[in-house]
Amino acid sequence: MAVPPQLKAIQHHLRTAQEHEQRDPVVAYYCRLYAMQTGMKLDSKTPECRKFLVKLMDQLESMKDDLADNESISQEVVGNAHIENYALKMFLYADNEDRAGRFHKNMIKSFYSASLLLEVLSVFGELSEENIQHRKYARWKATYIHNCLKNGETPQAGPMGMDQDGEAGGTSLAESHTTFKGPPTTTNYNNIHIPPGAHAPANTPAEVLPPAAAVKPVPLPRSVPTVDPTLLVAQQQGGVQLSPEDFTKAQKFCKYAGSALQYEDVSTAIQNLQKALKLLTTGKE
């Protein structure tokens, strides 16, 4: 069933869902959930839109039944971590290719898909500032590199200027029209820097890896944050009761820490371990 013109904004999320139908049903489910929620806001009254959204709801209910035993569907915290991990894997792969000056369709699609999946995280609540920046940067990089290659120009590798709205100038990648005339200048753009491996889990999805890719980012010099000594000696006082959700969140933080260590990102690992320790000792994030 074709996407009504009024709901054009969700067509790329639905396409991403279709691409992941067999590859990763959890990604497909949440892409469709995001599309449905967004579509309801865009137009739920026009007959053709209502019909389309009702069909989408039915599809979601069917998927939810099929995936009932999957914790990423039954527990939002686990689902959130699954989508975030997947998006950042794609981001990391594309970022590594970009920094190495290897510009190709696969890395452009990885940047763009990462930006779509980071948008999908909004089904779980407000996006973190970090994910907002990753989303803007990924969308902007995809558009910039796409337009450069279509113009026969060589893109500038690695982090560079981006405007305040996170746009590359020119038209969007989705529209595939090229009016971009070159890399942004420092006069008109602010600088944004995404460190390699920042919060990025290991094992980039196989579908976006080149055959011999085992690219490991070279970590930037960074200062290691001081561990809060009060957390190291903290005791559960006043009979702190932890809920199952608290344990799931603590597991998520530990998982992020382990992923960060795969990329020698000590700072991120410590931050997530501190969050887990604080949650387990105080019952608060």
Side-chain angles (χ1 to χ4, degrees):
M1 186 175 180
V3 179
Q6 302 94 315
L7 304 180
K8 181 181 177 182
I10 65 174
Q11 65 182 355
H12 297 288
H13 295 87
L14 292 174
R15 185 175 301 150
T16 300
Q18 188 173 10
E19 291 172 351
H20 287 79
E21 196 80 61
Q22 302 299 324
R23 186 184 305 164
D24 192 324
V26 172
V27 171
Y29 174 82
Y30 283 113
C31 282
R32 289 192 175 113
L33 180 60
Y34 172 87
M36 187 199 71
Q37 292 180 353
T38 303
M40 293 290 287
K41 296 175 185 176
L42 291 173
D43 188 341
S44 61
K45 296 180 180 180
T46 305
E48 59 179 329
C49 291
R50 180 182 290 276
K51 182 179 178 181
F52 181 86
L53 291 171
V54 167
K55 185 176 180 179
L56 186 56
M57 287 180 194
D58 292 341
Q59 189 175 19
L60 280 167
E61 285 301 316
S62 177
M63 290 186 72
K64 192 171 185 180
D65 290 340
D66 293 340
L67 299 170
D69 295 333
N70 192 315
E71 287 189 347
S72 293
I73 302 299
S74 60
Q75 298 185 40
E76 283 195 356
V77 174
V78 180
N80 189 345
H82 183 102
I83 300 301
E84 186 174 33
N85 282 351
Y86 195 95
L88 292 177
K89 286 175 187 176
M90 301 190 85
F91 179 94
L92 178 63
Y93 163 70
D95 187 47
N96 285 338
E97 291 294 280
D98 178 38
R99 290 169 184 270
R102 294 188 290 265
F103 306 109
H104 49 84
K105 290 182 179 180
N106 215 17
M107 65 92 73
I108 293 173
K109 185 175 181 180
S110 293
F111 263 137
Y112 189 67
S113 296
S115 74
L116 293 177
L117 291 176
L118 287 168
E119 283 181 335
V120 169
L121 287 174
S122 64
V123 304
F124 303 104
E126 190 174 348
L127 293 183
S128 68
E129 182 59 32
E130 181 181 33
N131 281 335
I132 289 173
Q133 290 302 313
H134 277 77
R135 178 183 59 78
K136 287 182 179 180
Y137 184 82
R139 181 73 58 88
W140 168 73
K141 263 293 184 179
T143 303
Y144 165 64
I145 296 171
H146 168 80
N147 287 337
C148 280
L149 295 183
K150 197 163 187 178
N151 277 342
E153 301 170 355
T154 301
Q156 181 177 328
M160 49 183 285
M162 183 177 75
D163 69 9
Q164 293 182 2
D165 296 322
E167 301 297 335
T171 56
S172 70
L173 177 67
E175 294 171 344
S176 295
H177 294 136
T178 306
T179 58
F180 191 63
K181 299 303 181 182
T185 65
T186 54
T187 303
N188 299 322
Y189 290 77
N190 296 328
N191 289 325
I192 181 170
H193 177 67
I194 306 292
H199 293 280
N203 302 323
T204 304
E207 70 276 2
V208 297
L209 276 174
V215 182
K216 188 171 183 179
V218 178
L220 294 176
R222 64 187 76 208
S223 58
V224 178
T226 303
V227 178
D228 185 348
T230 61
L231 292 179
L232 298 178
V233 297
Q235 301 282 331
Q236 284 191 354
Q237 298 179 0
V240 174
Q241 296 295 321
L242 298 176
S243 67
E245 185 179 10
D246 290 332
F247 285 110
T248 301
K249 288 181 179 179
Q251 289 176 345
K252 179 186 73 170
F253 291 138
C254 290
K255 182 178 180 180
Y256 286 168
S259 297
L261 289 175
Q262 296 260 356
Y263 289 86
E264 301 176 12
D265 189 347
V266 177
S267 176
T268 298
I270 290 177
Q271 289 172 11
N272 280 284
L273 288 173
Q274 285 183 324
K275 289 178 181 178
L277 189 58
K278 181 179 178 181
L279 179 60
L280 292 173
T281 54
T282 67
K284 299 178 181 179
E285 289 189 59

